[in-house]
Amino acid sequence: MSINFWDIMIWGDLFLFIIVALTVLYLGVFAIAALFNRHHDSPRSKKQKRIVVLIPSYKQDTVIEQAVISILSQAYPQRMFDVTVISDHQQEMTNMRLAQYPITLLTPNFEQSTKAKSLQYAILNLPEFKIYDIALILDADNIVEQDFLAKVNDAFETAATKAIQMHRISRNRDTTVAILGSIFEEINNAIFRRGHINLGFSSALAGSGVAYDFTWFKTNVMKAKTAGEDKELEALLLRQDFFIDYFDNIYVYGEKKRTTAKLNQQRGRWAAEQFHNVIRNINFLPGAIFRKQYDLADKIIQWMLIPRTTMVAIILLMSIFLPFIYMTLVIKWWTLGALALFIFALATPDYLVTEMWEKTFLRDPFKRLWNHCKPSNIRKK
């Protein structure tokens, strides 16, 4: 039996459509669930927990001082929290300025720097006589409000679990790329955090704005081996049957990438990490389903999804080129594309919906496709 071109195209088109459609369906379910707000303000905790704030800073000379000032300006009692900055490959002048603040300044000199190494270095160098309840991870560009630690303290007691994620939000929207990053951040918050906890699943971790039970963190951070340490810790929490909560009303403000090159570099790194997460954890999927560890099963399935920008690029390509080949095949792609845009719009908060929303979101896949396929890049390959 011979297979002709049309058979290959029809079956290939159907296979690709099913993969993309399943991704859109998954996103749609949690985007709708995100419309409902589960958390209100946490009740005031009767106990003030001791918190260590860990801020890894790799070549972040321009922003780290702002982050330190922000966290030191807390209304939380100063005796109840300590700040540790892990200054990795930063300028001597930056370290001299940081040393003027009431913080612990660590200056490792790793040959190959990762956030996991910085956090492990910090844990190993904390004073032994210090006893903490919470380890709070912030990025070097994070700014928080004065009641942030008080809210974290209250939320941690309300959650009664080993890890909670706070609401990361953009502090800059001064370029088209920064607007795009802000939109993606809030879509992540809606689908992978608020939508998940509303349906009883664990929130995804975001790398910063995360508070861990200190004892759990001290033991398990030493198991992290890659640049995506937050996903490694997330998998460990779920494999140990710990729920990850999310608090939408506790904000952590962060800088968004301002140029396309930096955004592409960041998202390329995330895509690589996602692939490695699947490879490292796919063997746990059958056991998770059998043991009814639905949080872990959901997380592994989530990592198996097509990245959103790749998904949008595929839909656009099929929608543009299929009409020149066979018109009937393209109708389902047009429908799927409209549904995907509706889901993204549903997950985007009102404050980000401006006249630039459509241009910003739709332009990105075209740019990525052109950058990948332009003659200069093809010659390099």
Side-chain angles (χ1 to χ4, degrees), residues 173 179 183 344-358:
R173 295 189 293 278
I179 294 171
I183 292 169
F344 291 138
L346 205 64
T348 303
D350 291 343
Y351 79 91
L352 287 175
V353 180
T354 66
E355 66 277 2
M356 286 296 294
W357 188 87
E358 295 88 350

Short mmCIF file of all heavy atoms in Angstrom, two decimals, residues 173 179 183 344-358:
data_model
loop_
_atom_site.label_atom_id
_atom_site.label_comp_id
_atom_site.label_asym_id
_atom_site.label_seq_id
_atom_site.Cartn_x
_atom_site.Cartn_y
_atom_site.Cartn_z
N ARG A 173 6.56 48.80 32.31
CA ARG A 173 5.90 48.49 31.03
C ARG A 173 6.26 49.61 30.04
O ARG A 173 5.39 50.18 29.38
CB ARG A 173 4.38 48.37 31.22
CG ARG A 173 3.98 47.20 32.10
CD ARG A 173 2.48 46.96 32.10
NE ARG A 173 1.75 48.04 32.73
CZ ARG A 173 1.58 48.18 34.04
NH1 ARG A 173 2.13 47.30 34.87
NH2 ARG A 173 0.90 49.20 34.54
N ILE A 179 5.86 45.09 27.92
CA ILE A 179 4.41 44.87 27.98
C ILE A 179 4.09 43.40 27.72
O ILE A 179 3.27 42.78 28.41
CB ILE A 179 3.68 45.77 26.95
CG1 ILE A 179 3.83 47.24 27.33
CG2 ILE A 179 2.21 45.40 26.87
CD1 ILE A 179 3.33 48.19 26.25
N ILE A 183 2.23 40.73 30.21
CA ILE A 183 1.05 39.95 29.82
C ILE A 183 1.28 38.47 30.10
O ILE A 183 0.43 37.79 30.70
CB ILE A 183 0.70 40.19 28.34
CG1 ILE A 183 0.21 41.62 28.13
CG2 ILE A 183 -0.36 39.19 27.87
CD1 ILE A 183 0.10 42.03 26.67
N PHE A 344 -6.49 33.64 26.15
CA PHE A 344 -5.46 34.58 26.59
C PHE A 344 -6.08 35.90 27.05
O PHE A 344 -5.64 36.50 28.02
CB PHE A 344 -4.45 34.83 25.48
CG PHE A 344 -3.59 33.64 25.18
CD1 PHE A 344 -3.28 33.30 23.86
CD2 PHE A 344 -3.08 32.85 26.19
CE1 PHE A 344 -2.49 32.20 23.59
CE2 PHE A 344 -2.28 31.74 25.92
CZ PHE A 344 -1.99 31.42 24.60
N ALA A 345 -7.10 36.34 26.32
CA ALA A 345 -7.79 37.58 26.72
C ALA A 345 -8.48 37.40 28.07
O ALA A 345 -8.47 38.30 28.91
CB ALA A 345 -8.81 37.97 25.65
N LEU A 346 -9.04 36.21 28.28
CA LEU A 346 -9.73 35.91 29.53
C LEU A 346 -8.75 35.94 30.70
O LEU A 346 -9.09 36.37 31.81
CB LEU A 346 -10.38 34.52 29.42
CG LEU A 346 -11.58 34.20 30.30
CD1 LEU A 346 -12.75 35.11 29.96
CD2 LEU A 346 -11.98 32.74 30.10
N ALA A 347 -7.51 35.49 30.45
CA ALA A 347 -6.51 35.40 31.52
C ALA A 347 -5.73 36.69 31.71
O ALA A 347 -4.93 36.79 32.65
CB ALA A 347 -5.53 34.25 31.21
N THR A 348 -5.94 37.67 30.84
CA THR A 348 -5.21 38.94 30.94
C THR A 348 -6.02 39.93 31.76
O THR A 348 -7.17 40.22 31.43
CB THR A 348 -4.95 39.53 29.54
OG1 THR A 348 -4.23 38.58 28.75
CG2 THR A 348 -4.14 40.81 29.64
N PRO A 349 -5.46 40.46 32.84
CA PRO A 349 -6.21 41.41 33.69
C PRO A 349 -6.51 42.71 32.95
O PRO A 349 -5.78 43.10 32.03
CB PRO A 349 -5.29 41.63 34.89
CG PRO A 349 -3.93 41.27 34.39
CD PRO A 349 -4.11 40.20 33.37
N ASP A 350 -7.55 43.38 33.39
CA ASP A 350 -8.02 44.59 32.69
C ASP A 350 -6.95 45.67 32.59
O ASP A 350 -6.89 46.39 31.60
CB ASP A 350 -9.26 45.16 33.42
CG ASP A 350 -10.48 44.26 33.27
OD1 ASP A 350 -10.45 43.39 32.37
OD2 ASP A 350 -11.43 44.42 34.04
N TYR A 351 -6.08 45.80 33.62
CA TYR A 351 -5.13 46.91 33.61
C TYR A 351 -4.09 46.77 32.48
O TYR A 351 -3.42 47.74 32.12
CB TYR A 351 -4.44 47.05 34.97
CG TYR A 351 -3.33 46.06 35.25
CD1 TYR A 351 -2.00 46.37 34.91
CD2 TYR A 351 -3.57 44.84 35.85
CE1 TYR A 351 -0.97 45.49 35.17
CE2 TYR A 351 -2.56 43.95 36.13
CZ TYR A 351 -1.25 44.28 35.79
OH TYR A 351 -0.24 43.39 36.05
N LEU A 352 -3.96 45.56 31.91
CA LEU A 352 -3.01 45.36 30.81
C LEU A 352 -3.67 45.42 29.44
O LEU A 352 -2.98 45.35 28.42
CB LEU A 352 -2.31 44.00 30.98
CG LEU A 352 -1.27 43.91 32.09
CD1 LEU A 352 -0.75 42.48 32.21
CD2 LEU A 352 -0.12 44.87 31.84
N VAL A 353 -4.99 45.51 29.40
CA VAL A 353 -5.70 45.52 28.12
C VAL A 353 -5.74 46.96 27.61
O VAL A 353 -6.56 47.76 28.02
CB VAL A 353 -7.12 44.95 28.26
CG1 VAL A 353 -7.84 44.99 26.91
CG2 VAL A 353 -7.07 43.52 28.79
N THR A 354 -4.82 47.25 26.69
CA THR A 354 -4.74 48.57 26.07
C THR A 354 -4.79 48.39 24.56
O THR A 354 -4.90 47.27 24.05
CB THR A 354 -3.44 49.29 26.47
OG1 THR A 354 -2.34 48.57 25.91
CG2 THR A 354 -3.30 49.34 27.98
N GLU A 355 -4.64 49.50 23.85
CA GLU A 355 -4.67 49.41 22.39
C GLU A 355 -3.46 48.65 21.84
O GLU A 355 -3.45 48.20 20.69
CB GLU A 355 -4.70 50.82 21.77
CG GLU A 355 -3.44 51.64 21.99
CD GLU A 355 -3.45 52.34 23.35
OE1 GLU A 355 -4.42 52.13 24.12
OE2 GLU A 355 -2.49 53.06 23.65
N MET A 356 -2.41 48.45 22.70
CA MET A 356 -1.22 47.73 22.26
C MET A 356 -1.33 46.22 22.48
O MET A 356 -0.47 45.47 22.05
CB MET A 356 0.00 48.25 23.03
CG MET A 356 0.48 49.62 22.60
SD MET A 356 1.05 49.62 20.89
CE MET A 356 2.49 48.55 21.02
N TRP A 357 -2.42 45.77 23.12
CA TRP A 357 -2.48 44.35 23.51
C TRP A 357 -2.40 43.43 22.30
O TRP A 357 -1.56 42.54 22.23
CB TRP A 357 -3.77 44.08 24.28
CG TRP A 357 -3.81 42.70 24.86
CD1 TRP A 357 -3.32 42.29 26.05
CD2 TRP A 357 -4.37 41.52 24.25
NE1 TRP A 357 -3.53 40.95 26.23
CE2 TRP A 357 -4.17 40.45 25.14
CE3 TRP A 357 -5.02 41.27 23.05
CZ2 TRP A 357 -4.58 39.16 24.87
CZ3 TRP A 357 -5.44 39.98 22.76
CH2 TRP A 357 -5.22 38.95 23.67
N GLU A 358 -3.28 43.64 21.30
CA GLU A 358 -3.29 42.75 20.14
C GLU A 358 -1.97 42.84 19.38
O GLU A 358 -1.39 41.83 18.99
CB GLU A 358 -4.46 43.10 19.21
CG GLU A 358 -5.84 42.87 19.82
CD GLU A 358 -6.35 44.07 20.59
OE1 GLU A 358 -5.56 45.03 20.80
OE2 GLU A 358 -7.53 44.06 20.99
#
